């Protein structure tokens, strides 16, 4: 790596005892999103089910939090980077090995895991729904997709001198109709601006059915996905199939952002990011809809 340790440094390292410091265990948690149809046993199978933004959850088969729902993930192995751990866990539990996968934060609050000092790096994963096959791991006995819902229930702004405090309270719901299961949580987000510098903190106010602090991790993963979609929109393409209509692309953006978009404005924004193919999709309106794919020059620069 271009660095050679001196004899004095080698002597120092030989006598250095890392055991004088307590060491945490290192894990990863993966918030994996996909656009898919809800599993509803009572729906009319003569009609195509509506698509929705879904999150993969694992029902834990062992203590702690036995029978509660958690994000997929696991402990890092010796010599393994957290990115390698996340890729391995994703492949083991879903058979997906080419998903969008990016770290978005580190969770190290004291007491977050009753087993001891456990630090988790959280990853955001996006997949095309047709590419996955669920396969629960050794510490889980069920893996399911949940429809995600998020609403802001309260907002406050306080100004004191040069400090500005912004507080948002979120209601998070995860729903699986086939299981007749709804997970709920309330999480408070507090942003403190002191001389223009921002500090953000989170507090879980209530959590029903979630394991560990995963309600907070899910909230922050979804806010990350929403923020990046709002800023440029490229991240949403990793939820799309290889080819898609512009209507499909707009619907995915609207699912993530939680609001309707003006079609002309949306298409102008997306125009540099897509390439029209020679294919079309029939059965989606009065005339076949053109199919597009992502423009490599807009993504791989």
């Amino acid at each position: 790596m271009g660095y050679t340790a001196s004899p004095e440094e080698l002597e120092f390292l030989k006598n250095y005892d890392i055991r004088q410091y307590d060491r945490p265990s290192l894990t990863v948690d993966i918030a994996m999103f996909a656009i898919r149809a809800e599993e509803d046993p009572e729906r009319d199978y003569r009609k195509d089910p509506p698509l929705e933004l879904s999150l993969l959850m694992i029902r834990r088969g062992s203590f702690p939090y036995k029978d509660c729902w958690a994000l997929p993930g696991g402990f890092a192995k010796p010599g393994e980077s957290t990115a390698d751990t996340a890729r391995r866990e994703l492949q083991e539990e879903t058979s997906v090995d080419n998903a969008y996968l990016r770290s978005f934060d580190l969770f190290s609050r004291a007491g977050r895991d009753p087993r001891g000092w456990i630090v988790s790096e959280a990853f955001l994963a996006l997949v095309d729904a047709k590419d996955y096959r669920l396969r629960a791991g050794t510490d889980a006995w069920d893996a399911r997709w949940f429809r995600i819902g998020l609403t802001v229930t309260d907002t406050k702004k306080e100004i004191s001198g040069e400090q500005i405090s912004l507080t948002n309270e979120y209601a998070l719901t995860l729903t699986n109709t086939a299981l007749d299961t709804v997970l709920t949580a309330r999480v408070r987000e507090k942003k403190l601006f002191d001389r223009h510098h921002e500090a953000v903190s989170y507090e879980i106010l209530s959590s029903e059915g979630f394991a560990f602090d995963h309600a907070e991790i899910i909230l922050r993963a979804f806010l990350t996905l929403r923020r990046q979609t709002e800023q440029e929109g490229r991240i949403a393409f990793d939820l799309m199939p290889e080819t898609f209509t512009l209507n499909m692309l707009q619907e995915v953006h609207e699912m993530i952002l939680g609001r309707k978009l003006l079609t002309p404005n949306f298409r102008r924004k997306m125009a540099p990011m897509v390439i029209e193919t020679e294919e079309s999709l029939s059965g989606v309106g009065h005339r076949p809809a053109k199919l597009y794919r992502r423009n490599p020059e807009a993504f791989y620069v």
Side-chain angles (χ1 to χ4, degrees), residues 180-214:
D180 192 24
T181 299
V182 180
L183 314 179
T184 63
R186 292 171 51 242
V187 183
R188 177 184 293 135
E189 173 192 62
K190 187 172 184 179
K191 297 182 179 181
L192 182 63
F193 298 89
D194 188 355
R195 295 179 179 85
H196 311 295
H197 300 294
E198 180 186 37
V200 185
S201 61
Y202 294 84
E203 178 184 1
I204 298 176
L205 304 177
S206 65
S207 178
E208 298 294 333
F210 292 94
F212 308 104
D213 56 352
H214 288 194

Side-chain angles (χ1 to χ4, degrees), residues 3-291:
Y3 175 77
T4 302
S6 66
E8 292 81 7
E9 183 172 355
L10 292 174
E11 183 67 20
F12 165 80
L13 293 173
K14 184 175 68 173
N15 296 308
Y16 184 78
D17 184 8
I18 196 172
R19 294 172 298 178
Q20 64 184 305
Y21 299 104
D22 292 333
R23 289 177 289 171
S25 296
L26 185 60
T27 66
V28 300
D29 289 302
I30 306 166
M32 179 169 147
F33 293 91
I35 302 295
R36 57 186 305 280
E38 183 181 18
E39 299 172 4
D40 185 353
E42 298 183 0
R43 72 174 176 84
D44 185 350
Y45 282 87
R46 294 171 297 180
K47 299 179 181 179
D48 290 334
L51 298 177
E52 58 194 18
L53 182 64
S54 300
L55 177 73
L56 182 64
M57 297 291 286
I58 304 292
R59 182 153 51 184
R60 291 185 55 78
S62 59
F63 295 111
Y65 291 98
K66 188 175 185 291
D67 296 330
C68 289
W69 292 89
L71 293 167
F75 286 85
K77 295 180 178 180
E80 190 177 52
S81 72
T82 52
D84 289 339
T85 302
R87 283 189 287 267
R88 173 177 55 77
E89 291 287 344
L90 192 62
Q91 203 283 329
E92 289 176 355
E93 296 182 354
T94 69
S95 298
V96 171
D97 58 10
N98 62 343
Y100 171 97
L101 188 66
R102 293 290 184 276
S103 168
F104 68 90
D105 217 328
L106 195 69
F107 293 79
S108 58
R109 183 183 296 119
R112 61 175 302 272
D113 192 311
R115 293 170 293 188
W117 187 13
I118 297 180
V119 174
S120 181
E121 186 168 5
F123 286 77
L124 174 65
L126 306 178
V127 298
D128 177 7
K130 68 176 177 58
D131 289 337
Y132 68 83
R133 183 175 69 253
L134 296 185
R135 183 173 60 200
T138 55
D139 63 345
W141 63 279
D142 202 3
R144 296 293 183 106
W145 291 97
F146 283 74
R147 180 175 72 252
I148 185 168
L150 185 67
T151 58
V152 179
T153 58
D154 190 30
T155 300
K156 294 179 182 178
K157 181 178 182 179
E158 298 176 354
I159 301 177
S160 177
E162 296 187 20
Q163 286 190 342
I164 300 176
S165 175
L166 301 177
T167 302
N168 293 310
E169 288 191 8
Y170 294 95
L172 174 68
T173 61
L174 296 183
T175 306
N176 184 293
T177 303
L179 295 178
D180 192 24
T181 299
V182 180
L183 314 179
T184 63
R186 292 171 51 242
V187 183
R188 177 184 293 135
E189 173 192 62
K190 187 172 184 179
K191 297 182 179 181
L192 182 63
F193 298 89
D194 188 355
R195 295 179 179 85
H196 311 295
H197 300 294
E198 180 186 37
V200 185
S201 61
Y202 294 84
E203 178 184 1
I204 298 176
L205 304 177
S206 65
S207 178
E208 298 294 333
F210 292 94
F212 308 104
D213 56 352
H214 288 194
E216 178 189 342
I217 298 177
I218 292 167
L219 168 67
R220 293 168 67 175
F222 191 28
L223 293 179
T224 298
L225 175 59
R226 179 170 284 182
R227 182 176 62 253
Q228 293 187 16
T229 301
E230 183 79 69
Q231 290 172 348
E232 58 178 27
R234 291 195 300 178
I235 191 174
F237 283 79
D238 281 281
L239 293 166
M240 306 298 299
E242 185 69 22
T243 59
F244 46 83
T245 68
L246 293 181
N247 281 341
M248 292 165 57
L249 185 61
Q250 181 171 338
E251 288 173 1
V252 168
H253 278 73
E254 291 173 343
M255 290 180 201
I256 297 170
L257 298 175
R259 69 175 193 275
K260 292 292 184 180
L261 301 173
L262 292 175
T263 298
N265 293 347
F266 174 78
R267 295 196 173 192
R268 278 195 296 270
K269 182 178 180 179
M270 292 295 108
M273 302 184 194
V274 298
I275 296 175
E276 183 178 339
T277 72
E278 297 180 357
E279 305 172 67
S280 60
L281 183 66
S282 60
V284 294
H286 298 293
R287 59 181 181 179
K290 295 178 180 179
L291 286 172

